[in-house]
Amino acid sequence: MRLLLCALLLLSPTLPASAQDPTGRITGRVIDEKSGQGIADVAIQVVGAEPRLSVGVRSGVDGRFTMNGVRAGTVTLHARRLGFQPRTVTGILVNAGHAVQQDIVLAATTVTLAAITVSAEKERGSVSQALDAQRTAAGVVNAITADQMGRSADGDAAQAVQRVSGVTVQDGKYVSVRGLGERYTTTSLNGARMPSPEPERKVVPLDLFPTGLLQSITTSKTFTPDQPGDFSGASVDIRTREFPARRSFTYSATSGFSTVTHGQPLPFAPGVGGEQFAMASRRRWLPGYVQAVGDLTTANQEQQNLIVNAFRDVWQAGTRGSRLNGSFSASVGGNDPVLGQRIGYLVSGTYSSVQELKRGEQRALAFATDSGGTRPVNRFDGTTGRSSALWGGLANFSTLLGATTRLSLNNTYTRTADNDARVERGTYEDLALPVQVQRLDYVERRVWSSQLAGETTVGRHGLDWSVTTSGVTRDEPDRSEFVTEVRRDPATGAERQLWVNTLPEGAVRTFAQLAEDATEGRMDYRLQLGSGDRVTVKVGALGRAVSREAGVNAFGIFARAMSDADRALPPETLFGGQFTTPDSSRIQVRSLAQGGDYHASDRLAAGYGMVDVAPSDRWRIVAGARVEQSRVRVDATSTLHESATARRDFTDVLPSLAVTFRPTAGQNLRASLTRTLARPEYRELAALRTRDVLGGVDVRGNPELVRTLIDNADLRWEWYPAAGEVLSVGLFAKHFTNPIERVFRASNTNSLLTFVNAPSADNLGVELEARKGLGMLHDALRNLTAFSNVTVMRSRIHIAASETAVTSTDRAMMGQAPYVVNAGLTWAAAPGGFTTTLLYNRVGARLTEAGEKPLPDVRELARDVLDFSLRAPIAGAYSLRFDAKNLLDAPYVVQQGTVTRQRWNAGRTLQLGVTYQP
C-alpha cells in the first residue's frame, strides 16, 4: 500500500507535461490478420511528413513499434513487409507532447497487390475486440476484454467469465466449463499456472481477481501442444492490464447495498481487529501453549484446563445494523523515459468491503424411507451474516531492448477475508433434541505472483521465456461451534438454552491453514518459414515445482457431569475460567479425529513440438504432441498419529491435431482431435478425515487414485459477418478413462464420502453462439447489440461393479449441467458515451454428490440470474456507473429426492459509482 501511495504521488497529474513539445508519439503493434500474432520487421512510415520531421521505424518483437518525433496533427501511416499486402491507415490524430496507440493489421499474400487504405477508427475496432482473438486462434477460444468487463455489472473475474459460452460458476467463484466438474478446468495468471488456496479443490476461486486489474480473460476449450495438458473443460488465462501508450490516471469509487441487508440487524462474528483489511489471521491463530502440549491424549487435567483458558473466549454471534457496501480503486500508467530507456508501467490498487446475508437458510440430510422415498433428518433453519473484504494491487513494467527484445515484470497481490456468523435451529435426531448451533468462521486468503518474462524476435526466429514464482495461503483460524439444547417450559413457554455438554461436538474449536508455493519456468522457440510466414515450427519446455503444507486441528470441549443451572450459563462464562481453575476437573478437552496434516510435493517436467502450417489462404493445420512427466508425493498424518503416503508418477504423451478451413474470408470451419488428462488433487490423495459438527459427512482421501486420460473431439463452424459480430455452432465429444468421482461408502456412524476411479465416462455437447447488431431491423436500433450463447450437454459415468451397491449405475458425471444459457442486450450510443447492458444467465440442475443407495443423487437446481448495468459520462473526465445484480433473487437450492439439502436467498444488490479519468 505504501508503494502504491508513493507511485500515485510521484506520478500525479500535477507533474509538468511536455505540452510545449511540437511533436507527439505513435505506439502500437503490427498484427497478422489470420493468426493474430505480431509481425516483426515491418517498415512503417509517416506518409507526407515534412522532410525534417520524416519518421520511419521497423516493428520489433511481437510486432511492437514506437515512432517518436511525429508532427502534431492528423497523420497517415504506411506499413509494408515482403509477403504481406501493404496497408495505409489514415486519420491518426497526434497531439503535441502526447502519445496515441494505433495497431495495424496485415494480410499475407503471395502476389503483389495494391495497398489497402483504412481509417484509424476502423483499424482500431478490427483488432481490439475479443472476437478477433477467437477468430484467429488455432483452437476453440472465447475471450472477455477489459472493455466488456467495464460495461457489465461484474466486479470480479468469476462474474465476468460466466458470460462465456458453456461456462458455469459455482458458489460465486469456482469455474467449470462445458458442464464438466471443476477438476477439468485450470487457471493461469499471465500464462503461468496459479495454485489454488482451497484445500479440497483444484480450480482457483476467481473472485480473488477484481475486474479493475484485468486486461482480458481467455478461455481455451481445445488443447494445443504449447498449453499444459491437464485440462479437458477449459484452460482459463487471466491477463492483468498492460500499460497505456500515454500517462493516464483513473480513480473510481462505488457504494451500494443488498436488499436483504439494508435496514436489517445482521448476525456478525466478533473479531480481533484487522478483519476489515483481511489481516487478522495471525492474531487468531492456534495458541502457543496448545501447540506446545501437542498430543492431547496424554495431557493431564491441569494442562486441559490451561488449553481451554488459552482459547479466545468468543463463542456467540452478535447483531449489528447493516452498512453500505463500498469499493475504491486507483491506477496510474504510462510510457516514460527513465535514464534514457523508455519504460512502460502500470500501478493499480483496489479495495472493497461488502456485507451479505443468506436469508431463509436451510440444511438437512436425507434418509431413505421404507416406501422408497426420502425424508429429512437433522434439519436446521437459520441465517448467516458475512462481512467480506478484498484488496489487491498490481505493478507491471515493460521495456524494449532495441527492436528485438521486450522484457516485462508483472507483479500481482490480492488478499480477501470472509467473516461469517451463522445461527441455526433444528432437531438433532441422534439425541432427539431440539438444538441451536452458533458457528463463527473467519477465512483469509492471499494470492501473489511475480513474473519476469522476455520476448525476442530476430528475423524469422522468436524466443519467449518466463520465470514465475507464485503462492497462496488460506487460513481459517479459530473457527468455533457451540451447541445448546433448546428447552421450553410447557406451562409458560419460556425458553432456556442449555449447553450440550456430553458431546465432544457440543463446543468445538478448529484451526486450519494451507500454504502452497510454486515456481515455474517456461521457454518457447519458434521458427517461421515460407513466403508470408506460412509455416511456423515451435518447440518448448516447461518445469514446475510445487510444495503444499496443509493442516487441520480440531478440539472438542465437553463435561461428563454438569447441572442444568451451570449448562444454562453463557459459553463465555463456561469457558472463561470459572470451571477451569488449576484444581478443577469438570471440563475436558480432546483432539477430534476429523483432522490432521499433510505435505504435498509435485514436480512436473514437460516438452513439446508442433507445427502451424497454412498451405493456402483457406487452410490452417496445427499438429504436434506434448510429453508430461508428473511426480507427486503426499505424506498425511491424522490427529490420531496414523500415517499414510501416496506416491504417484505418470508420464504421458498428449497428441493434438487441429484443422481450420476458411470457406470465405469471414468464416471458419474447425475440427480437432486431442488427448488431455486430469490428475488427482493433493487432498484427494491424503488419507485424512474432515467433517462439520452434528451429523456432517466425513470426507476421506484415497491414496490409490490414478490420473484420468481424456480423448477430445471438436467440430465448429464460425461466421463473422461484421466487426463485433459472430454466429457459431459447435459439437464436442469426450471419452474419459479412469475419471475420478466422489462416492459414498456405507458406515455405521457418519456417511463417508471418498474418491474413486470409475472405469470410464462419456460427454457429448452442442454449443451455439450469436452476437449481432440490430440496426438491420430498424435505424433506431443501430446502437443495440444482442448476444447469446447456449450449451446443451449430456454425460454418462460407467461405475465399476464393486461400486454399484453404493451409487447410481446410470447418472451424469459429477458437476455436469445439462445446459447453460447466457443472453444479453447492450445499448452503446457512441464510443465513450452512454451504454446500458442487460445480462441473463441460467444453468441447468447439476449433480453435486452421488447418492448412496437407496438414496437418489444430490443436485443443485437450476437458477435464473438477471443483471443490469449503466455507464454514462457526466462532465469532463467524470463518468457514472450504476449496477443492479441478481434482480430475480432466485434461491440457491440443493435437492436430494424430496429433501432440501441446502437453500438460501442472497438478495438483490444495487450500487452507484463515479469514475474519474482525466
Side-chain angles (χ1 to χ4, degrees):
M1 296 294 287
R2 292 175 180 172
L3 288 173
L4 175 61
L5 180 60
C6 290
L8 292 174
L9 291 175
L10 290 173
L11 300 171
S12 65
T14 60
L15 288 176
S18 54
Q20 304 303 318
D21 189 349
T23 64
R25 183 162 44 92
I26 302 176
T27 68
R29 292 179 66 206
V30 183
I31 298 172
D32 188 332
E33 183 182 47
K34 291 183 180 179
S35 68
Q37 302 299 312
I39 309 173
D41 201 33
V42 177
I44 308 163
Q45 184 77 30
V46 175
V47 178
E50 298 178 19
R52 63 186 183 87
L53 293 176
S54 180
V55 179
V57 298
R58 287 186 177 272
S59 63
V61 60
D62 200 27
R64 297 179 186 273
F65 67 90
T66 298
M67 307 182 73
N68 297 307
V70 180
R71 64 179 173 85
T74 302
V75 301
T76 297
L77 289 184
H78 183 69
R80 179 186 296 273
R81 184 183 188 275
L82 185 64
F84 290 86
Q85 191 170 355
R87 199 174 190 95
T88 300
V89 183
T90 64
I92 304 173
L93 179 61
V94 179
N95 294 318
H98 293 281
V100 61
Q101 184 163 349
Q102 180 63 58
D103 295 342
I104 303 172
V105 175
L106 295 186
T109 182
T110 58
V111 297
T112 301
L113 297 175
I116 297 176
T117 301
V118 297
S119 67
E121 190 62 39
K122 180 179 179 181
E123 187 73 350
R124 290 192 191 104
S126 69
V127 295
S128 63
Q129 299 298 320
L131 292 180
D132 284 320
Q134 177 175 318
R135 176 180 58 84
T136 60
V140 178
V141 169
N142 293 99
I144 299 291
T145 64
D147 178 65
Q148 291 170 293
M149 288 184 274
R151 293 184 181 184
S152 72
D154 303 328
D156 56 57
Q159 298 172 12
V161 78
Q162 67 182 331
R163 314 302 179 187
V164 173
S165 174
V167 170
T168 60
V169 177
Q170 190 174 14
D171 298 337
K173 61 185 74 173
Y174 304 113
V175 173
S176 59
V177 182
R178 289 180 163 177
L180 298 173
E182 61 198 33
R183 72 170 61 252
Y184 301 109
T185 300
T186 61
T187 303
S188 58
L189 182 66
N190 294 319
R193 179 67 54 84
M194 285 298 298
S196 173
E198 301 302 324
E200 297 182 6
R201 298 178 185 266
K202 174 184 178 181
V203 67
V204 176
L206 295 190
D207 63 334
L208 290 170
F209 303 99
T211 53
L213 303 182
L214 306 183
Q215 181 71 25
S216 64
I217 306 173
T218 302
T219 304
S220 301
K221 298 178 182 177
T222 57
F223 166 69
T224 53
D226 55 349
Q227 296 176 290
D230 55 340
F231 79 88
S232 179
S235 174
V236 179
D237 185 31
I238 301 170
R239 293 281 173 174
T240 54
R241 293 170 57 196
E242 292 189 357
F243 56 87
R246 60 182 179 87
R247 185 183 303 164
S248 64
F249 305 84
T250 303
Y251 310 93
S252 66
T254 64
S255 183
F257 62 92
S258 170
T259 56
V260 297
T261 63
H262 186 62
Q264 300 294 323
L266 306 178
F268 81 97
V272 298
E275 285 86 357
Q276 69 273 30
F277 297 108
M279 301 180 70
S281 62
R282 294 292 181 185
R283 285 181 275 178
R284 304 170 63 113
W285 193 236
L286 185 66
Y289 180 78
V290 182
Q291 297 184 57
V293 172
D295 188 359
L296 267 62
T297 59
T298 60
N300 58 39
Q301 185 61 55
E302 182 179 356
Q303 290 176 314
Q304 294 183 54
N305 291 337
L306 290 173
I307 289 172
V308 174
N309 293 336
F311 291 140
R312 189 169 64 103
D313 196 25
V314 176
W315 295 87
Q316 298 184 95
T319 57
R320 65 183 178 193
S322 62
R323 299 175 298 187
L324 290 176
N325 301 330
S327 67
F328 172 80
S329 66
S331 67
V332 57
N335 192 318
D336 293 325
V338 178
L339 301 177
Q341 179 70 30
R342 187 164 290 277
I343 304 294
Y345 58 88
L346 177 69
V347 179
S348 181
T350 183
Y351 173 82
S352 66
S353 177
V354 177
Q355 281 194 327
E356 299 173 292
L357 182 71
K358 290 184 178 181
R359 181 189 61 191
E361 197 169 13
Q362 300 176 13
R363 73 175 176 99
L365 294 177
F367 187 82
T369 63
D370 294 337
S371 61
T374 55
R375 69 174 181 86
V377 295
N378 296 337
R379 170 171 171 168
F380 289 86
D381 297 271
T383 301
T384 297
R386 168 174 291 180
S387 298
S388 299
L390 181 153
W391 66 268
L394 62 83
N396 292 350
F397 305 92
S398 180
T399 188
L400 287 172
L401 303 181
T404 62
T405 300
R406 177 175 183 255
L407 292 179
S408 60
L409 177 64
N410 301 316
N411 305 280
T412 306
Y413 186 91
T414 303
R415 295 185 77 110
T416 68
D418 296 323
N419 198 22
D420 293 359
R422 177 170 176 168
V423 181
E424 58 184 2
R425 288 191 174 191
T427 300
Y428 183 47
E429 298 196 9
D430 287 7
L431 298 178
L433 289 177
V435 299
Q436 175 177 284
V437 180
Q438 297 202 56
R439 178 181 291 112
L440 310 180
D441 191 17
Y442 175 78
V443 177
E444 185 176 294
R445 301 178 296 180
R446 178 176 69 101
V447 175
W448 62 271
S449 174
S450 183
Q451 180 188 73
L452 178 64
E455 306 169 61
T456 300
T457 300
V458 179
R460 297 179 179 273
H461 302 269
L463 181 67
D464 300 341
W465 59 269
S466 67
V467 177
T468 306
T469 60
S470 59
V472 299
T473 62
R474 183 188 187 275
D475 293 332
E476 190 177 10
D478 203 16
R479 166 176 155 174
S480 69
E481 283 135 331
F482 185 70
V483 184
T484 55
E485 175 190 351
V486 180
R487 186 179 296 178
R488 293 186 180 274
D489 188 304
T492 64
E495 180 182 288
R496 297 179 68 197
Q497 294 193 34
L498 291 79
W499 175 37
V500 180
N501 59 298
T502 57
L503 287 179
E505 293 185 348
V508 176
R509 233 35 192 256
T510 304
F511 301 83
Q513 72 174 131
L514 179 149
E516 182 173 324
D517 295 301
T519 301
E520 179 179 302
R522 175 187 60 83
M523 182 172 292
D524 301 284
Y525 167 78
R526 65 186 180 277
L527 173 63
Q528 294 177 314
L529 303 171
S531 176
D533 298 337
R534 289 186 177 274
V535 178
T536 301
V537 178
K538 193 174 181 181
V539 296
L542 177 144
R544 184 168 63 243
V546 180
S547 178
R548 172 186 283 193
E549 297 283 349
V552 178
N553 293 287
F555 304 91
I557 304 173
F558 61 100
R560 294 186 176 88
M562 184 170 279
S563 66
D564 285 355
D566 289 341
R567 292 172 58 205
L569 294 172
E572 289 76 14
T573 302
L574 284 167
F575 311 124
Q578 177 178 338
F579 299 103
T580 51
T581 57
D583 58 345
S584 176
S585 60
R586 302 188 64 184
I587 292 181
Q588 289 80 45
V589 59
R590 75 180 188 193
S591 296
L592 298 181
Q594 291 77 27
D597 305 291
Y598 71 89
H599 168 77
S601 174
D602 188 356
R603 301 293 181 266
L604 177 71
Y608 74 89
M610 59 182 285
V611 60
D612 187 341
V613 182
S616 71
D617 291 342
R618 294 181 178 272
W619 290 92
R620 182 182 182 187
I621 302 171
V622 180
R626 185 181 186 89
V627 178
E628 291 194 352
Q629 182 185 60
S630 171
R631 295 181 177 179
V632 178
R633 172 171 175 158
V634 179
D635 296 301
T637 304
S638 72
T639 54
L640 302 180
H641 304 287
E642 299 172 339
S643 299
T645 298
R647 290 184 178 89
R648 285 290 175 266
D649 295 347
F650 305 110
T651 300
D652 297 286
V653 178
L654 307 173
S656 171
L657 174 64
V659 178
T660 301
F661 173 64
R662 301 181 66 190
T664 66
Q667 296 185 62
N668 289 330
L669 181 61
R670 303 180 184 273
S672 67
L673 294 172
T674 63
R675 168 168 284 190
T676 56
L677 56 84
R679 299 183 182 94
E681 179 50 44
Y682 307 132
R683 174 61 183 89
E684 296 172 348
L685 293 170
L688 300 176
R689 284 181 181 245
T690 56
R691 173 165 55 97
D692 288 341
V693 302
L694 293 192
V697 176
D698 282 3
V699 180
R700 187 180 190 277
N702 177 7
E704 302 302 320
L705 291 176
V706 299
R707 55 92 177 86
T708 304
L709 292 177
I710 308 110
D711 295 316
N712 312 276
D714 282 87
L715 182 64
R716 184 182 179 95
W717 171 76
E718 302 167 349
W719 180 35
Y720 301 89
E725 298 183 349
V726 64
L727 176 65
S728 69
V729 179
L731 305 174
F732 62 87
K734 301 177 183 294
H735 177 74
F736 299 77
T737 302
N738 297 321
I740 299 172
E741 290 285 296
R742 294 158 58 99
V743 301
F744 281 97
R745 299 287 194 188
S747 173
N748 293 329
T749 55
N750 292 81
S751 297
L752 174 62
L753 183 64
T754 188
F755 308 90
V756 300
N757 286 109
S760 64
D762 294 293
N763 178 268
L764 300 171
V766 179
E767 290 179 317
L768 305 174
E769 181 179 11
R771 184 180 185 90
K772 180 66 177 174
L774 301 184
M776 61 179 182
L777 301 179
H778 194 280
D779 187 62
L781 302 178
R782 65 183 181 278
N783 296 322
L784 188 64
T785 300
F787 52 93
S788 177
N789 57 71
V790 179
T791 305
V792 180
M793 300 150 288
R794 182 182 185 274
S795 70
R796 283 294 177 267
I797 187 78
H798 309 293
I799 305 297
S802 58
E803 304 294 341
T804 56
V806 293
T807 187
S808 171
T809 58
D810 183 23
R811 63 171 175 82
M813 297 177 66
M814 199 67 59
Q816 173 74 60
Y819 62 87
V820 179
V821 178
N822 290 298
L825 286 171
T826 294
W827 176 278
F834 177 87
T835 64
T836 61
T837 303
L838 185 68
L839 297 169
Y840 169 78
N841 170 261
R842 180 180 174 88
V843 180
R846 51 189 163 181
L847 187 71
T848 59
E849 295 176 6
E852 179 183 10
K853 282 189 174 181
L855 290 172
D857 297 329
V858 183
R859 298 182 182 276
E860 180 181 338
L861 302 188
R863 181 172 176 267
D864 298 294
V865 179
L866 187 66
D867 299 332
F868 173 80
S869 65
L870 179 149
R871 305 289 183 267
I874 303 177
Y878 290 93
S879 60
L880 177 74
R881 63 179 295 168
F882 171 75
D883 297 318
K885 295 191 278 189
N886 195 30
L887 290 173
L888 302 179
D889 194 20
Y892 295 87
V893 181
V894 177
Q895 199 88 9
Q896 187 173 23
T898 59
V899 175
T900 299
R901 292 284 303 270
Q902 292 183 17
R903 187 189 190 281
W904 72 85
N905 285 77
R908 302 168 180 86
T909 300
L910 307 176
Q911 62 184 29
L912 186 67
V914 176
T915 298
Y916 174 68
Q917 188 171 10

